[in-house]
Amino acid sequence: MIYPMIVAAGVGRRFGAATPKQYLTVAGKTILEHSAACLVHPAFATLTLVVARTDPYIDELLPRLTTLHPTIYRAVGGDERWQSVLSGIEEICRQGGQDDDWVLIHDAARPCLPRADLDKLLDHLQTTQASAVILATAVVDTLKYATSGQINHTVSRENLWQALTPQAFRIGVLKRAFAHASQQNLSITDEATVCEALGIPVQIIPASRSNIKLTHADDLPLIERLIVDLD
């Protein structure tokens, strides 16, 4: 089984808006609705949605989300991203998820996931012997390392990849990785990070650069154009 999860527990401090960025409206729908629409697929029977405990928006939005995913389970997010994901995994296990099943984790702020990339990832999960697989795109820009506003040196982009979502993991493997991260008090930026820390190989599926994450306000016009093109 493959259990999709959307992590929507963030409050968007970096974005700087009064409304969490997943609830901003683009092309007539919220970012979260667009992201949820990206995960409509015959392979998925349910969707697990992780939201903040004090989220004031989700109850009003939920009826529209259920037109996309008739069966939605909710989990309460934590202070850190990994705690939110773990809460989602615990909810999936209550649904019957087993350690050998896959959890497919997608950011609520990535509303431009191409269907072809999702299909490519799901096809790979049918045959891989790995326990961790992510979408990623090769770094193409020249990278500079700078301190105090001044370039220190140029970083080689060879073999560098930008991690995207969805990221897919065997449930049991990710639970073990989170336990290790908690014990070691590791800094975690994505789920692949915790697997790397435990020495678990993480495979990469090359994917489209259009699968961008809403991070800054000036991302919105580009995201709107991409969404229109995807439709």
Side-chain angles (χ1 to χ4, degrees):
M1 289 281 290
I2 303 174
Y3 292 88
M5 175 198 304
I6 291 181
V7 184
V11 297
R13 291 187 184 92
R14 282 185 299 170
F15 192 80
T19 301
K21 59 187 176 182
Q22 63 267 30
Y23 294 115
L24 296 176
T25 299
V26 175
K29 297 178 182 177
T30 63
I31 292 291
L32 178 54
E33 286 176 271
H34 289 297
S35 298
C38 292
L39 294 186
V40 173
H41 196 281
F44 305 145
T46 66
L47 173 67
T48 299
L49 184 61
V50 186
V51 297
R53 184 179 299 278
T54 57
D55 188 317
Y57 305 98
I58 190 60
D59 287 336
E60 181 179 348
L61 186 60
L62 201 58
R64 301 209 298 271
L65 292 174
T66 53
T67 65
L68 300 168
H69 299 271
T71 304
I72 295 179
Y73 294 93
R74 286 165 59 176
V76 176
D79 293 334
E80 303 291 337
R81 177 188 170 88
W82 73 268
Q83 294 170 329
S84 296
V85 173
L86 183 57
S87 177
I89 290 174
E90 290 169 347
E91 174 55 43
I92 287 170
C93 291
R94 284 190 287 270
Q95 300 169 33
Q98 302 296 310
D99 281 356
D100 285 341
D101 290 330
W102 290 97
V103 57
L104 195 81
I105 304 164
H106 190 50
D107 287 334
R110 288 191 187 271
C112 302
L113 168 66
R115 176 60 177 264
D117 285 355
L118 178 61
D119 285 340
K120 188 161 50 172
L121 175 59
L122 294 177
D123 287 345
H124 187 76
L125 297 186
Q126 302 304 314
T127 58
T128 185
Q129 299 300 309
S131 298
V133 184
I134 73 168
L135 294 180
T137 184
V139 172
V140 296
D141 295 317
T142 298
L143 300 177
K144 303 293 186 180
Y145 182 87
T147 56
S148 302
Q150 181 172 309
I151 294 173
N152 181 281
H153 63 276
T154 298
V155 179
S156 173
R157 65 189 178 213
E158 185 177 2
N159 299 321
L160 291 183
W161 291 79
Q162 179 180 339
L164 310 174
T165 70
Q167 299 190 356
F169 306 90
R170 297 286 185 185
I171 289 175
V173 166
L174 195 53
K175 288 194 297 185
R176 180 160 55 90
F178 279 146
H180 173 75
S182 178
Q183 291 168 0
Q184 300 298 319
N185 196 28
L186 300 179
S187 175
I188 299 168
T189 55
D190 69 350
E191 289 68 56
T193 304
V194 295
C195 290
E196 296 161 28
L198 203 57
I200 297 167
V202 181
Q203 292 184 342
I204 282 177
I205 302 294
S208 170
R209 296 180 67 201
S210 66
N211 183 9
I212 68 172
K213 184 178 182 180
L214 175 56
T215 304
H216 304 290
D218 58 3
D219 295 329
L220 279 169
L222 175 58
I223 283 175
E224 184 165 18
R225 289 195 294 272
L226 289 169
I227 286 172
V228 170
D229 289 343
L230 285 172
D231 291 341

